[in-house]
Structure formats: structure tokens, C-alpha cells
Amino acid sequence: MNILIIPSWYQTKDNPTLGSFFREQAIALSKEGHKVSIAYTDIYSNFKELYNDIKYMNDNGVNIYRISKYKLPKTGFRIYNYIFYSGVNKIYRKIVEEQGKPDIIHVHSSILAGYSGMKLSRKYNIPYIITEHYTGFARGLIKGRQNKLIGQVFLNSSKVIAVSNALKNDIKHYCSENQICVIPNMTNVSQFQILPNRKSNDFVFLTVCYLTHKKGIDLLLKAFAMAFSNSENIKLIVGGDGEERAFLVKLASDLGINNKVTFTGALSREEVVKMMQNCDVFVLPSRFETFGVVFIEALACGKPIIASRGGGPDDIVNCNNGLLVEKENIEELSEAMKYIYDNKDKYIPESIRQDCVNKYSEKAVSTQIIDQYKLIIK
């Protein structure tokens, strides 16, 4: 099968982990013997960032094509979508020339790439499928004309995949319910393994994310201070960088826990793996979360997890691998952290990992996606 993937965001030099789940899914599909190409338009408002011609690279068997386009600042939603499409359309012609005509177009998120998928589908008579990831639906960020365009993108697709039941509920009014199915994101479980014979005098809670308001790290710091400010050998590691880092560092100091909290800054993929393997519990109390690949990565390392109820983690967390807490509830989050610390022997790393492999491995998820492709092409 010849598959064209169009992501709405993708890794950059400054942010190499952006859209990592799109990349890993593409590689997994390639490993299953399919020809996979990615088309992506880098949009800049600075002429100095533009590059000439179409860039090509082969990434673990996936053909990646990129082009840059200029956008005037404060350009409206429809113009932004059209600029992105103009780049993808140019790439498409090169892909057909070098890789052959795709059998199916797979769009990741309707918010930007969806328009390009719809336009290419109409122009070249190729079916397209959408996987939706965007938290903006739960956050009420889709407004006015955006609603109309996104509605068209959903209705004209052959299938809509939501990465969680919570997200399915957020988008079901855009199309018929039988048009939507739920298929989770995947992770490379071979990369995330249980670390045998881990030795540490500290009990470590870990979080890894972009440090933005929606991730709720301010809540985590307050809950950690409530539970463990007077406890020895219990630490919190905050992995990642973002706009709230300075605020969070100050908050940790104000709470009197700066000697117990480590802010690592941005982490490479390899560093994330090591952090996951060397922690005791992974915790991320997001205010909005459509899925949460980091939870799967932690489970693949055999670690119990703590997450907020009412989003993607509802599908992931069960009584054997962690706890769910109400959003914004600092006291409940604090109690959950204390419970897992006091009952750590109840969480069996091998059982946690095996359940994760059965549900979220590359093979488990790519099989479901390929089945959808086959139904659509038939």
C-alpha cells in the first residue's frame, strides 16, 4: 500500500520531539511493508527562515518531503490553511513522480492538515482518513469560520479516528458517530524497557511535558509540597521546557520545595527514556489531554502513573497501573501521590508493561490502522 501522511505539526531543529507520535506511526507502517511518505509545509513569517526547493530525507524507511512558505503575520485561518496546502500540493506532485500515486491520504489533525487532505482528495480522487489529536476541541478554541471549515473536512473524510473516547465525544457533532472510531496512539515499546536492578536511595516522581498552563505543573508542585515537603528522600523531577518554566521555578521556591524539585530543561528522546526508567512514578495532572503518549512510555517502563480524569487518560489508567484524579483538585492529587508511595509494591512492573504492549505497541496499533485503510480502499 502506498500511504501519504500529512501532519499538522512536525519536528523542527529547535523542537525535535514535536509530533514524535506522527513520526513513530509512519515508521511503524513502513515496517509493516508499506510505502510511506510524509508531506509537510514549514510556514514562516520571517524571510530569513525560508529555504529553497523541496527538502527530502529518508527517516527509517519513511520518505519525508518538506517545503517552506511565507505567511504574513496575523493571517486569517483560511489563508493559513491555503498556504499550507499550496506547499503540500507542490510536494504531492514530486511524491507521485518519485514514489507513485498514493492509495490513501492519512491526515493528522483536521485543524491544518485536514484542509490539505480534503483538497488533494478532491483533486486527485484519493480517499483520506483523519486522526484527530487536538486538545482545542475540549478547550473550546474552535470558533466561527473554523467550525465550518473543520466540519467540511470531517464530513468529506472516509473515516475519522479519535485517539481517545473523550476526544471522540468532543468531535462527534461534526459528523455521524459511525464515521468515528477510536484507535490510540502508539509507542515504540522496544525503546522503553524496564530497567533491571535499579538502585536509588530516593523515591522519584517524574513528569515530562511542555511547560504550559494546560499541563498543570503548578498543581503538581502544590500537591507535592502538600504531601512531601517534610519527607526525606522523596524527589520530583520536572522534565521539559516551555513558557511557564520561570514561573514554576519561582513557585517551587515559594513553596519551600526547591531543594526537592529538579527542573531538567528540554530533554532528548534518549534522555526521556532514561528518566522514565529511573523514576518510581510518572505523574501529569493535565487540565486538557486528548491522549498522552508520555503515559504510555512510562507504562512501557513498568511505572505506575497518575493522571487527570475526564480526557484521554481515562482510557489508559486502570486499577493495576495507576490512579485518576479530578482536574484542578490539588488535595486529591496529593493523596494519590501518597497512596502510590505507601503502596508501591501493589504495582507490578512486568504486568504494567505487558498490558501496555498488548494495547499500545507499534504492532497492536498499526494493525488497527491498516485494517481501516483496507476497508476504505475497498
Side-chain angles (χ1 to χ4, degrees):
M1 203 178 306
N2 193 339
I3 305 161
L4 172 60
I5 294 174
I6 309 174
S8 289
W9 55 92
Y10 208 63
Q11 61 186 155
T12 64
K13 188 184 296 182
D14 295 332
N15 195 344
T17 62
L18 187 64
S20 58
F21 35 93
F22 305 154
R23 174 180 177 268
E24 289 176 3
Q25 189 177 109
I27 292 171
L29 292 169
S30 176
K31 286 179 180 176
E32 291 297 312
H34 303 284
K35 182 182 285 187
V36 182
S37 301
I38 290 177
Y40 184 71
T41 305
D42 288 299
I43 298 180
Y44 301 114
S45 297
N46 186 339
F47 281 113
K48 292 180 180 179
E49 295 179 289
L50 296 174
Y51 52 86
N52 296 322
D53 302 322
I54 295 171
K55 287 184 178 180
Y56 170 81
M57 67 173 289
N58 186 288
D59 181 9
N60 292 275
V62 176
N63 303 298
I64 300 179
Y65 295 83
R66 303 177 78 139
I67 193 170
S68 67
K69 291 287 181 180
Y70 176 74
K71 177 187 75 69
L72 286 168
K74 299 182 180 179
T75 300
F77 179 73
R78 284 183 174 272
I79 299 299
Y80 194 93
N81 274 268
Y82 184 79
I83 293 169
F84 188 90
Y85 163 68
S86 68
V88 169
N89 187 44
K90 187 173 181 180
I91 290 173
Y92 172 84
R93 294 193 291 269
K94 190 169 183 65
I95 287 175
V96 171
E97 180 185 324
E98 296 181 355
Q99 311 296 339
K101 183 178 179 180
D103 299 303
I104 193 162
I105 299 168
H106 192 155
V107 169
H108 283 283
S109 191
S110 60
I111 194 70
L112 184 60
Y115 177 78
S116 294
M118 181 175 69
K119 291 282 286 185
L120 289 181
S121 176
R122 289 173 173 174
K123 189 172 183 178
Y124 300 109
N125 194 30
I126 304 169
Y128 72 99
I129 185 171
I130 301 169
T131 295
E132 192 53 75
H133 308 259
Y134 186 44
T135 61
F137 294 97
R139 295 155 64 196
L141 299 183
I142 312 301
K143 306 289 185 182
R145 293 181 178 179
Q146 294 181 2
N147 263 310
K148 184 177 180 181
L149 182 57
I150 289 169
Q152 291 173 347
V153 169
F154 279 130
L155 281 172
N156 285 284
S157 67
S158 296
K159 196 74 178 180
V160 177
I161 298 171
V163 294
S164 67
N165 279 290
L167 183 56
K168 177 183 177 180
N169 191 58
D170 290 334
I171 63 175
K172 65 184 181 182
H173 64 280
Y174 285 103
C175 50
S176 61
E177 194 163 352
N178 62 6
Q179 192 181 348
I180 310 174
C181 67
V182 176
I183 300 177
N185 284 320
M186 65 175 68
T187 195
N188 183 351
V189 293
S190 63
Q191 187 179 14
F192 292 85
Q193 299 275 352
I194 296 172
L195 183 66
N197 304 318
R198 171 182 171 260
K199 295 179 181 179
S200 175
N201 293 324
D202 294 327
F203 188 94
V204 178
F205 289 91
L206 172 69
T207 193
V208 178
C209 64
Y210 296 117
L211 302 184
T212 59
H213 178 73
K214 72 177 182 179
K215 294 299 183 181
I217 305 306
D218 56 318
L219 308 173
L220 175 57
L221 291 173
K222 292 173 184 177
F224 181 81
M226 186 181 293
F228 304 116
S229 59
N230 297 317
S231 302
E232 296 293 327
N233 302 323
I234 302 177
K235 308 294 184 184
L236 172 63
I237 297 177
V238 179
D241 209 344
E243 62 198 39
E244 287 214 329
R245 182 176 178 180
F247 161 73
L248 294 169
V249 170
K250 184 178 184 304
L251 178 60
S253 179
D254 292 344
L255 291 168
I257 55 172
N258 53 311
N259 63 325
K260 301 173 72 67
V261 180
T262 301
F263 290 87
T264 68
L267 296 169
S268 68
R269 198 75 171 141
E270 293 73 22
E271 288 170 328
V272 171
V273 174
K274 289 180 181 178
M275 290 282 185
M276 294 284 191
Q277 290 177 322
N278 284 286
C279 76
D280 293 281
V281 181
F282 184 86
V283 52
L284 181 59
S286 301
R287 290 178 166 96
F288 301 98
E289 194 72 68
T290 58
F291 185 74
V293 172
V294 285
F295 293 115
I296 305 305
E297 294 170 347
L299 295 176
C301 294
K303 309 300 180 180
I305 58 178
I306 301 172
S308 297
R309 187 178 287 110
D314 289 12
D315 295 345
I316 300 171
V317 181
N318 59 54
C319 60
N320 297 314
N321 68 14
L323 296 170
L324 288 168
V325 299
E326 290 300 321
K327 293 178 182 179
E328 306 274 0
N329 192 323
I330 295 168
E331 185 173 352
E332 188 177 357
L333 175 58
S334 177
E335 290 298 320
M337 295 171 77
K338 286 194 288 187
Y339 178 86
I340 292 189
Y341 174 73
D342 292 334
N343 297 275
K344 46 187 174 288
D345 293 339
K346 291 184 178 181
Y347 297 95
I348 311 303
E350 293 76 16
S351 298
I352 290 173
R353 175 176 166 78
Q354 189 56 56
D355 183 57
C356 173
V357 170
N358 293 342
K359 295 176 181 176
Y360 305 112
S361 67
E362 292 174 310
K363 182 69 176 178
V365 176
S366 60
T367 297
Q368 295 179 68
I369 294 168
I370 291 165
D371 286 345
Q372 291 297 326
Y373 290 166
K374 290 177 179 177
L375 286 171
I376 290 165
I377 291 170
K378 283 180 181 179

